Amino acid sequence: MVEYLSQFQPPLQALLATLFTWLMTAVGAAMVFTSKKYNQKMLDGMLGLAGGVMIAASFWSLLSPALDMSEQSGQIAWLPVAIGFLCGGLFIMAIDKVIPHLHPMSSIEQAEGLNPEKKRRSTLLVLAITLHNIPEGLAIGVAFGSVAAGFPSASLAGALALAIGIGIQNIPEGVAVSMPLRREGMSRLKSFGYGQLSGMVEPISAVIGALAVGFIQPLLPYALSFAAGAMIFVVAEEVIPSSHENGNNDLASICLMIGFTIMMILDVALG
């Protein structure tokens, strides 16, 4: 796979990688065809797994390379990374305040953003997952773009590991959108359509991230840590709380550790 991707330019590499992550979102959404009901314990465990993957990816695939790049460029190693990391979290927080959305498993009264009451529940659910897929797509795009920039700490295998990890954690995101919609009476086909729709933004944001690296190479440590900060904010603000709110705390926590371990192994073994 690495040899196959190496023949393409970074934007196309990022596009191909995120088409895989979109497919994984669709795989999760497709579970709606098997049953109208879902196992809450299973979903909470999958959310915990997703949180662990995102946390590990944020460090191993984004923050660690950003620190190395910053040090190699002669800067104070921690400063660009700290600035980018905090800005990434603040960016997602600001978007959360503006764009109307509804976290999966929440009631319609808990919708956030500007004028959420004017939107349908299905639209709010898709917007919530779409918001969280933006930093994931950017992270993959920046990772592939940094390989072309020639930094020793960036590798094509590492970028591929990041895409695989994010693809794994996209499965529960697809489930979290499609299953509640099916439970409320929406047809299986429409529930699946809305579930997979949330993954469409990843290929778009990944191509943007890969293209941007070509113009902002000196800012690459900021870009990598920005994506990491955005992902950590999503984990802390939604993924972990959602996995714990139904009383399956221990299961979700263990699955989070398993997800972290899987992503760490992927990054170290492939990168």
Side-chain angles (χ1 to χ4, degrees):
M1 180 61 72
V2 173
E3 292 181 1
Y4 174 75
L5 286 174
S6 64
Q7 63 186 307
F8 301 116
Q9 293 298 313
L12 185 53
Q13 291 173 344
L15 176 61
L16 292 172
T18 46
L19 287 176
F20 163 75
T21 63
W22 180 11
L23 175 62
M24 292 298 98
T25 305
V27 167
M31 291 184 184
V32 77
F33 292 112
T34 63
S35 174
K36 184 176 179 178
K37 297 180 180 180
Y38 61 92
N39 186 308
Q40 188 63 56
K41 276 191 172 183
M42 181 186 75
L43 184 57
D44 289 342
M46 292 174 71
L47 286 172
L49 187 81
V53 168
M54 293 174 73
I55 293 171
S58 296
F59 176 74
W60 295 99
S61 299
L62 299 171
L63 289 176
S64 181
L67 285 166
D68 290 341
M69 293 174 190
S70 182
E71 187 174 14
Q72 290 162 14
S73 63
Q75 305 179 62
I76 301 174
W78 55 265
L79 184 59
V81 178
I83 293 172
F85 184 79
L86 293 174
C87 286
L90 291 172
F91 174 74
I92 296 298
M93 183 177 71
I95 289 182
D96 270 356
K97 301 296 184 185
V98 175
I99 297 180
H101 62 283
L102 177 66
H103 299 310
M105 311 306 153
S106 299
S107 65
I108 191 68
E109 291 77 18
Q110 295 174 298
E112 302 176 7
L114 298 177
N115 302 318
E117 66 279 356
K118 296 182 179 180
K119 302 290 184 181
R120 295 169 57 184
R121 179 180 177 85
S122 56
T123 303
L124 292 170
L125 282 169
V126 173
L127 285 173
I129 302 300
T130 299
L131 284 175
H132 301 160
N133 283 344
I134 292 174
E136 295 169 10
L138 284 173
I140 293 172
V142 171
F144 278 101
S146 64
V147 176
F151 285 96
S153 57
S155 70
L156 191 56
L160 181 60
L162 175 62
I164 293 172
I166 288 178
I168 291 170
Q169 67 90 36
N170 275 1
I171 295 175
E173 290 185 354
V175 176
V177 175
S178 64
M179 284 298 193
L181 295 178
R182 176 59 182 160
R183 185 180 57 185
E184 292 176 9
M186 185 176 287
S187 71
R188 283 187 170 88
L189 190 59
K190 288 188 69 175
S191 299
F192 167 75
Y194 279 116
Q196 62 82 32
L197 187 65
S198 63
M200 288 181 63
V201 71
E202 283 192 4
I204 298 170
S205 54
V207 171
I208 292 173
L211 288 172
V213 168
F215 299 100
I216 58 168
Q217 284 193 25
L219 300 179
L220 194 51
Y222 294 92
L224 286 167
S225 52
F226 180 94
M231 288 175 63
I232 290 295
F233 184 89
V234 168
V235 173
E237 197 261 349
E238 184 195 340
V239 177
I240 292 177
S242 294
S243 68
H244 283 226
E245 64 185 11
N246 297 292
N248 298 312
N249 301 31
D250 289 345
L251 173 66
S253 298
I254 289 297
C255 287
L256 184 145
M257 296 182 69
I258 292 172
F260 186 98
T261 304
I262 290 172
M263 185 64 224
M264 178 181 65
I265 292 172
L266 277 174
D267 191 86
V268 174
L270 295 180

